[in-house]
């Protein structure tokens, strides 16, 4: 539940001027505004499950977005019943929404993709919680390989628009009439960044699939190890369990979210300590924290790196 | 809408260990916890209307209250459709509630009383807003008149339990066998304290009826006078309109609530200034503010004053 000084877990991924939001518990619209995350930019909201602390802030955020003229459609993905929940609140409270809500609910036949656009794809997997719950993995599309300027010059492709066309994957013709293919001047595609958002769940193989090789994993850790039995009974994880899962999946960084309100602020370091024995790069999420996620090979990029906010 | 540093309007009246809550917008549970208002003590929630900024925090507060064992029934009063809203969210989000919710919705036949118990009665009146909206007036029951100790002694009623019985309104018999009635030793009943909560509405005679002679009136003032036309169109009030209504109703003190988020923190003094030309005791509500409301005749009370928190 939202606490004085500790908000509910929600993560906004900002990428190329678009925003992808994971979960939206009560009060999420306040830090959303405070951090200037961007309302028109909000493109997809992904809800893990139909418990209040993960979606009760959604109606307020939708209304906030309706404060601007013509903000454009919004895609909302999540478990079966999500559209019904929003629709009930919308009608019961006469909500004003001046844009289209496009719902996409998981079902056994929807396949592994929750969302795909020109920038990213998002995959989802059922987790193991007290109610049907989805974990997410957001993958930036792989980028073209590095451009080999020396090779292009050797092939007599003049610097300028033709270089751009090759970088976009198009075959071009040199002034001398020779065809040059992208493969001749581009290195192998470079993988996009990957982020996982996994809450609420107990240990389950789906976590490994979602977190495999990600740059950043947000994993729930409701409890400390001393409450491992309660974690099992309530279908949550301890900090250690989350860290082991992240380590096994070779997630580069781990951020612990969804800590039980029973723990005081002074206990939070223990989460990082317990998890730290299993994973080398752990932190406990803090309200309003901004985490930059550089390109994996940013230092070597020939083209300017993508804006990472 | 909830803002960084400015929460939605909600007022908790604490009286004799009971709590009466007016409205519950998104996020209300956080200051409720922060101020230790009391969850078991929460007896009645009174909702003005079915707009999100007045009731979307209710499900969260209900769940918060369910964190304690056996908190006892909770009465929820408000406009028609309130129970349906709560029931929809409750079912759609599988809310855990371990106590009885007792709904009482206004209808043309419910009469003027929203609630009555051993401490207070609450009356409601439809206001004039863009959707059906109720204003409330909470009245502490009148207290017995002042006990005249000299008269009791003259009538040979010994100090002790018989004095208490007389104060409770019972007729007693003196050791000498004489009957003494409360009227012989008590002054006229002393009026209880009165609080009005009126939002959202434009000017309407109901405001006067609700605020007549109250000790404390919470009135909406969405706009400053420069936006009076917008106030009229959107069925809200300006600070001046609220202050005039409070002055005409002889409300002793006025607290302005529900100020438009368009106004910056530095504008808030203008609300008090504009209202102050019409009413002598005006303040703008601040997050988390606690207002003590002494008994009207506390200085002269023979019995110890009621606990006013």
């Amino acid at each position: 539940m939202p606490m004085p000084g500790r908000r509910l877990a929600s993560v906004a991924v900002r990428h190329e001027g678009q925003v992808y939001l994971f979960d939206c518990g009560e009060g999420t619209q306040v830090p959303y505004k405070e951090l200037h995350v961007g309302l028109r930019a909000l493109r997809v909201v992904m809800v893990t499950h139909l418990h209040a602390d993960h979606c009760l802030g959604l109606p307020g955020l939708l209304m906030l977005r309706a404060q601007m003229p013509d903000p454009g459609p919004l895609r909302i993905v999540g478990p079966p019943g999500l559209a019904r929940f929003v629709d009930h609140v919308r009608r019961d409270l006469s909500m004003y929404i001046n844009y289209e809500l496009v719902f996409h609910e998981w079902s056994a036949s929807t396949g592994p993709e929750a969302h795909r656009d020109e920038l990213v794809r998002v995959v989802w997997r059922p987790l193991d919680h007290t109610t049907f719950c989805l974990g997410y993995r957001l993958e930036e599309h792989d980028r073209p390989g590095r451009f080999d300027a020396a090779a292009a010059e050797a092939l007599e492709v003049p610097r300028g628009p033709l270089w751009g066309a090759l970088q976009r994957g198009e075959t071009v013709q040199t002034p001398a009439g020779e065809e040059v293919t992208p493969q001749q001047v581009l290195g192998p595609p470079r993988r996009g960044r990957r982020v996982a958002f996994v809450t609420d769940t107990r240990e389950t193989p789906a976590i490994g699939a979602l977190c495999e090789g990600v740059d950043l994993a947000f994993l729930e850790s409701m409890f400390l190890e001393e409450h491992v039995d309660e974690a099992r009974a309530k279908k949550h994880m301890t900090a250690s369990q989350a860290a082991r899962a992240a380590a096994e999946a070779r997630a580069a960084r781990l951020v612990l979210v969804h800590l039980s309100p029973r723990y005081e602020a002074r206990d939070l370091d223990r989460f990082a300590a317990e998890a730290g024995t299993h994973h080398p790069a752990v932190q406990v999420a803090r309200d309003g924290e901004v985490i930059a996620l550089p390109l994996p090979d940013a230092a070597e990029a020939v083209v300017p790196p993508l804006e990472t906010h």
Side-chain angles (χ1 to χ4, degrees), chain A residues 1-109:
Chain A
M1 55 191 177
M3 305 267 287
R6 208 191 315 170
R7 286 168 168 149
L8 293 173
S10 173
V11 169
V13 176
R14 299 212 299 187
H15 177 46
E16 294 276 312
Q18 304 287 331
V19 174
Y20 303 86
L21 184 71
F22 293 110
D23 273 348
C24 190
E26 183 175 357
T28 295
Q29 65 167 303
V30 177
Y32 198 96
K33 236 172 331 210
E34 208 161 36
L35 296 166
H36 305 285
V37 178
L39 285 165
R40 194 182 294 282
L42 180 60
R43 183 146 184 180
V44 190
V45 180
M46 293 154 287
V47 171
T48 57
H49 62 300
L50 293 180
H51 280 165
D53 52 329
H54 295 263
C55 60
L56 199 46
L58 189 50
L61 187 69
L62 300 185
M63 281 184 285
L64 177 64
R65 192 167 187 264
Q67 301 275 318
M68 54 173 46
D70 191 25
L74 178 68
R75 191 171 161 89
I76 303 175
V77 309
L82 178 59
R84 184 184 57 204
F85 159 64
V86 173
D87 198 51
H88 275 153
V89 177
R90 184 176 183 173
R91 279 185 293 157
D92 291 343
L93 303 187
S94 311
M95 279 167 56
Y96 171 72
I97 307 274
N98 61 345
Y99 53 91
E100 191 189 359
L101 302 181
V102 183
F103 285 96
H104 180 53
E105 294 186 349
W106 187 94
S107 79
S109 61

Side-chain angles (χ1 to χ4, degrees), chain A residues 32-279:
Chain A
Y32 198 96
K33 236 172 331 210
E34 208 161 36
L35 296 166
H36 305 285
V37 178
L39 285 165
R40 194 182 294 282
L42 180 60
R43 183 146 184 180
V44 190
V45 180
M46 293 154 287
V47 171
T48 57
H49 62 300
L50 293 180
H51 280 165
D53 52 329
H54 295 263
C55 60
L56 199 46
L58 189 50
L61 187 69
L62 300 185
M63 281 184 285
L64 177 64
R65 192 167 187 264
Q67 301 275 318
M68 54 173 46
D70 191 25
L74 178 68
R75 191 171 161 89
I76 303 175
V77 309
L82 178 59
R84 184 184 57 204
F85 159 64
V86 173
D87 198 51
H88 275 153
V89 177
R90 184 176 183 173
R91 279 185 293 157
D92 291 343
L93 303 187
S94 311
M95 279 167 56
Y96 171 72
I97 307 274
N98 61 345
Y99 53 91
E100 191 189 359
L101 302 181
V102 183
F103 285 96
H104 180 53
E105 294 186 349
W106 187 94
S107 79
S109 61
T110 41
E113 269 188 20
H115 174 73
R116 175 186 280 273
D117 60 35
E118 73 283 8
L119 295 172
V120 302
R121 76 169 193 144
V122 179
V123 299
W124 50 9
R125 284 258 187 144
L127 300 169
D128 186 0
H129 190 48
T130 58
T131 192
F132 181 79
C133 183
L134 292 158
Y136 291 96
R137 172 191 177 95
L138 182 145
E139 301 180 340
E140 179 186 18
H141 293 319
D142 287 346
R143 289 163 299 124
R146 252 172 268 123
F147 187 76
D148 186 340
E153 278 167 353
L155 291 163
E156 297 187 343
V157 185
R159 185 183 295 261
L162 293 183
W163 283 30
L166 284 164
Q167 285 173 350
R168 286 192 303 275
E170 299 165 19
T171 295
V172 302
Q173 206 166 34
T174 67
E178 297 293 323
E179 259 193 4
V180 176
T181 66
Q183 289 70 28
Q184 293 177 273
V185 295
L186 294 177
R190 290 167 294 174
R191 75 162 183 83
R193 288 159 288 187
R194 299 160 189 166
V195 175
F197 186 78
V198 177
T199 185
D200 301 354
T201 186
R202 66 174 170 187
E203 294 170 298
T204 171
I207 301 173
L210 291 166
C211 295
E212 180 62 35
V214 297
D215 301 278
L216 188 56
F218 295 88
L219 290 191
E220 78 124 286
S221 66
M222 184 84 164
F223 296 107
L224 288 170
E225 205 56 29
E226 61 183 306
H227 297 121
V228 64
D229 292 337
E230 189 173 348
R232 188 173 300 116
K234 295 185 171 172
K235 298 203 171 186
H236 285 290
M237 288 193 289
T238 64
S240 297
Q241 290 171 339
R244 278 198 299 268
E248 281 166 23
R250 294 176 299 112
R253 291 174 66 181
L254 170 62
V255 179
L256 300 176
V257 297
H258 204 276
L259 282 55
S260 166
R262 81 175 56 176
Y263 302 110
E264 308 279 335
R266 64 173 178 276
D267 296 327
L268 302 191
D269 288 344
R270 293 174 59 201
F271 279 82
E274 290 192 0
T277 65
H278 302 282
H279 192 285

